[in-house]
Amino acid sequence: MFKLIATIIKDVRILLRDKVGISLMFIMPIILVVVVTSIQNSTFQLVNKNKLSIIINNSDTGQASKQLIKAIDKIGMFKASQVSGDKTEQQIAEAMHQHDAMLGIIIPSNFSSKVTAKSKSIAGKALTSFGLQSDTVKNVGDVDPLTVYYNPVLQDNIRLSVQGALRSAMQLVQSRETLRSLYFSINEKQLPENLENEMLNNKTTINEIPVSKDGTRTTPNATQHNVPAWTIFAMFFVIMSLGGSVVREKVSGSFIRLKTLPTSYLVGLLSKQITYLAVTMLQAAVIFSIGIWLFPFFGLPALNLPSDILALIIVTVVCGWCAVSYAMCVGVFAQTQEQANGFGAVSIVILACIGGLMVPSFAMQGFFKSAANLSPMHWCLQAYYSLFLEGGKLKDVINNIIPLLIITILLQLVTYVGLKRKNLI
């Protein structure tokens, strides 16, 4: 025990001298979690609260186009500005730049006439199917499409939301015209406005309830998603300090000198694991504390800790041990410190991508969806998400902890075999 304590003290002193390593393990992940959470929270605000700037060039003079503009405005996700006159594609692009708009919409000049003609055609067919006489209306083609210009920086998911919103506005205008045509054909008078509004605005309320294992109904936010994810990333980045430390001791001959002393390098390996496991626990504590107390000062949602604190501690210990085991394994097989740092940094980013830290696992397809199970970060993330987002307990994360322990034990065995093959122990 005395040898182990003395070795731990030695490793702590070496770690405190490594200013760059400490920066990579603490300062960089903190900056990363704050920046990424802020960006994602801004994206949520754009979709849910803020309005997307658009310009509308209305080449039509009828009522249907005016109704369409009102319908677009009522959607609530657009901040519309109108530009007059027929515009070319280049002029629309310039107008978008002048108004700082992400979208430009051109309503064709025959929009109202086409909508009216199609509405009368549909109303006539409906009356005929009811066995009622109607004016003979020729079949008309579809309404000419709206032309939508968009800034290429606009993400696909937002563009799909825009398309859905515009289709809803178009459907509302066409439905209104069809109802008016039907009512006039039957009653020979205009459809009362109050009845029209009642028929068109009879919307069913949609209640959104997040599913949780503890019965709570708290809606997860950007903080709940990002803080656990980038805490895992920070833990695995101990490879920059621990991997380099193992390489330095190999190159400096520490392994050889330990063979001449009444001790074993396995004591040194255990010491490093205990020391850096404590570092990963401290990383998690620091990042979680920032999420709880500091995020509100940045205008970000505060982090809500899981109700099962014991499960959170156990998951953090297992994740930290896996990160330390991976760093030790890389350090044993790397020939130089540059190899350990280079391979370590790149491999951590790859494991983060495959594991779902950067792209959600449910969005992956084919090979990458299966490969996610090979990344220890995947199981770390699933365990944390079960606690932070689903309100799970310890029994709910056992299925994530067991694969993580298996991967950790395999890394430990590979490390031991590597040391034996190199005759270092």
Side-chain angles (χ1 to χ4, degrees), residues 158-176:
I158 298 180
R159 288 199 296 111
L160 291 174
S161 299
V162 169
Q163 289 180 19
L166 293 178
R167 287 195 182 99
S168 297
M170 288 275 289
Q171 187 64 44
L172 179 63
V173 172
Q174 293 178 7
S175 298
R176 176 180 281 110

Side-chain angles (χ1 to χ4, degrees), residues 44-170:
F44 287 164
Q45 294 291 325
L46 173 63
V47 175
N48 298 322
K49 295 182 180 180
N50 295 343
K51 294 185 178 182
L52 202 62
S53 296
I54 65 172
I55 60 171
I56 300 176
N57 178 219
N58 185 10
S59 301
D60 183 69
T61 57
Q63 290 297 316
S65 60
K66 296 177 181 178
Q67 292 170 9
L68 177 61
I69 294 173
K70 289 181 180 179
I72 292 174
D73 189 58
K74 286 183 178 180
I75 291 173
M77 66 179 295
F78 300 117
K79 181 182 178 182
S81 302
Q82 293 192 49
V83 292
S84 58
D86 293 335
K87 301 290 185 182
T88 63
E89 181 177 342
Q90 182 62 34
Q91 290 172 329
I92 286 292
E94 292 175 357
M96 288 173 61
H97 180 72
Q98 291 172 0
H99 290 80
D100 196 22
M102 301 298 291
L103 293 160
I105 301 174
I106 294 181
I107 302 176
S109 57
N110 61 350
F111 179 79
S112 294
S113 60
K114 284 278 190 177
V115 168
T116 302
K118 186 162 186 177
S119 299
K120 288 181 178 180
S121 176
I122 294 173
K125 291 178 182 179
L127 290 173
T128 301
S129 67
F130 295 155
L132 300 176
Q133 292 183 348
S134 63
D135 296 334
T136 302
V137 179
K138 296 181 180 179
N139 289 329
V140 296
D142 292 332
V143 178
D144 291 347
L146 300 180
T147 303
V148 179
Y149 297 93
Y150 65 90
N151 192 311
V153 303
L154 206 62
Q155 295 180 345
D156 287 345
N157 58 340
I158 298 180
R159 288 199 296 111
L160 291 174
S161 299
V162 169
Q163 289 180 19
L166 293 178
R167 287 195 182 99
S168 297
M170 288 275 289

